[in-house]
């Protein structure tokens, strides 16, 4: 192989490595999947650590079904934080409710001294 080929190969390798490294292991909640509905993830015999590093779930308690399987997508929902102290301003003083909802933000015209138009927060839904 020539030098250029080796160069291209190492670039591909580095990209592949950074892609797998960047994945975060799924939560327990994302791995609650009935054994028969599991979709295989990773080669047979993959270790639990490698499986989780690839962003998949590992559960070897049931024989005959994939042990390393694809996680469910994270369920998130947008909520308007109830605590006025954690509000992050999404508007300006005197903003109207309409202008605020146009910005897709939360509007609560109370209490005084905090932003009335503020950003949502995304929270993970329980399983
Ligand atoms: C593994 O899967 C089985 C069957 O779904 C479940 O009962 C068990 O709690 C799981 N174990 C872990 C550690 O998640």
């Amino acid at each position: 192989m020539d030098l250029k080929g080796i160069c291209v190969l190492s670039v591909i390798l580095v990209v592949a490595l950074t892609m797998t490294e960047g994945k975060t292991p799924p939560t327990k909640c994302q791995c609650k999947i009935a054994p028969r509905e599991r979709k295989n993830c990773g080669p047979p015999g993959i270790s639990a650590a490698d499986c989780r590093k690839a962003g998949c779930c590992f559960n070897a308690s049931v024989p005959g079904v994939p042990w390393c399987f694809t996680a469910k997508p994270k369920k998130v929902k947008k909520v308007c934080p109830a605590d006025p102290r954690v509000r992050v301003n999404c508007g300006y003083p005197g903003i109207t409710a309409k202008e605020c909802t146009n910005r897709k933000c939360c509007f609560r015209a109370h209490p005084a001294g905090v932003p009335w138009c503020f950003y949502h927060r995304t929270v993970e839904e329980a399983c």
Side-chain angles (χ1 to χ4, degrees):
M1 199 187 297
D2 63 351
L3 198 62
K4 202 175 150 211
I6 292 169
C7 257
V8 169
L9 258 187
S10 37
V11 166
I12 290 170
L13 195 70
V14 167
V15 168
L17 276 178
T18 43
M19 268 162 54
T20 49
E21 288 290 305
K23 287 202 174 155
T24 45
T27 60
K28 261 195 193 142
C29 165
Q30 287 175 269
C31 295
K32 264 194 199 161
I33 300 175
R36 259 176 291 152
E37 286 163 26
R38 292 177 188 172
K39 285 209 189 70
N40 196 33
C41 179
I46 189 172
S47 74
D50 284 343
C51 174
R52 290 204 188 91
K53 240 188 264 167
C56 303
C57 305
F58 191 86
N59 178 330
S61 71
V62 185
V65 298
W67 289 355
C68 182
F69 51 98
T70 311
K72 284 188 280 190
K74 245 186 203 160
K75 266 196 199 159
V76 291
K77 61 177 175 187
K78 280 183 167 182
V79 294
C80 297
D83 184 353
R85 287 168 302 176
V86 303
R87 290 182 186 178
V88 179
N89 198 1
C90 176
Y92 47 84
I95 190 171
T96 63
K98 189 162 183 288
E99 173 61 20
C100 180
T101 39
N102 282 347
R103 297 180 177 209
K104 304 209 179 339
C105 286
C106 307
F107 188 82
R108 300 279 148 79
H110 59 85
V114 293
W116 287 358
C117 181
F118 49 99
Y119 285 101
H120 290 98
R121 286 208 305 190
T122 48
V123 292
E124 265 174 54
E125 282 190 89
C127 279

